[in-house]
Amino acid sequence: MSKLFNSFKEKRITVQPPTYESPPAWIPEKERRNHPDYDNDVERYLPRRIYLQRGDERTSLGFNVRGGSEKGCSMFVSRIMDNSPAQREGLNEGDHLLDVNGISFEDISHEEAVNILKVAVDLDMYVRYYPWGYRNMTAVCDLEDISK
C-alpha cells in the first residue's frame, strides 16, 4: 500500500466519484505514454496530504485557486509559481482542494477559501490531482462569466 494512501487514511474525507465522461479520442498506443488522457498511474490521482508553511501571512505560498460554491464549482489549484513552497511540496495545477486545516473545501465560496488560505501561516491540506474536473470546472465557470 502506498504512502500516499496511508497518509490519507489518517482522516476520513468523503470524495464523490467523478461524473461520467466520454472516453478520450483514440491515439496510437506508442503515443499514449505520458499522455494526460491515457495516464494509468492510479497513485497520481489518489488524495494526498500537503503541508505548507510560511514565515507570516504576508509571505506568498505560491499558488492561486479557482472555483467556488457561488458558481457551483469545486475549488481547484489554478496556478503554481516557480520555486514556490507550493511547487517544492508537490502541489499541481489541477489539484482539487478537499480539506484545508480541517475545513472542508467541497462546498465553499471563493472568498471564504481565499480568506482561509491567506490568513493561515501553516496549511495542512488534503488534495487530489483531478485534471478532468479542473478542465470541466473552468469551462463551466468561464461560460458563467461570459453570460453575465
Side-chain angles (χ1 to χ4, degrees):
M1 196 172 292
S2 77
K3 287 174 114 177
L4 296 174
F5 187 70
N6 283 336
S7 69
F8 182 67
K9 289 173 87 175
E10 296 171 10
K11 181 172 183 166
R12 287 209 179 266
I13 296 176
T14 304
V15 178
Q16 296 298 318
T19 57
Y20 176 79
E21 280 190 21
S22 299
W26 185 87
I27 61 173
E29 190 171 338
K30 291 180 181 178
E31 296 175 23
R32 293 180 189 175
R33 175 169 277 147
N34 298 321
H35 190 284
D37 290 335
Y38 283 89
D39 192 344
N40 62 0
D41 178 7
V42 176
E43 283 198 14
R44 181 176 182 196
Y45 303 99
L46 291 175
R48 65 193 191 282
R49 193 173 192 177
I50 302 262
Y51 294 102
L52 294 176
Q53 293 181 310
R54 59 178 152 201
D56 59 57
E57 59 189 52
R58 291 173 291 167
T59 306
S60 172
L61 291 167
F63 70 98
N64 294 346
V65 295
R66 188 168 184 190
S69 60
E70 69 275 12
K71 294 185 176 190
C73 300
S74 294
M75 293 301 300
F76 286 86
V77 174
S78 60
R79 182 174 175 221
I80 302 289
M81 283 58 150
D82 289 337
N83 302 314
S84 67
Q87 185 183 48
R88 286 190 295 275
E89 293 301 320
L91 204 59
N92 300 300
E93 180 180 329
D95 275 344
H96 180 199
L97 297 174
L98 304 172
D99 180 283
V100 176
N101 292 347
I103 301 167
S104 173
F105 269 48
E106 287 293 307
D107 188 29
I108 193 169
S109 73
H110 184 84
E111 182 180 2
E112 188 178 358
V114 168
N115 287 338
I116 290 167
L117 295 169
K118 283 190 171 189
V119 170
V121 175
D122 298 324
L123 292 178
D124 181 7
M125 305 189 302
Y126 285 93
V127 302
R128 70 174 172 161
Y129 183 59
Y130 187 31
W132 303 280
Y134 177 63
R135 280 198 308 258
N136 290 338
M137 182 275 305
T138 56
V140 168
C141 289
D142 287 346
L143 285 176
E144 186 174 301
D145 289 343
I146 291 169
S147 66
K148 288 187 177 179

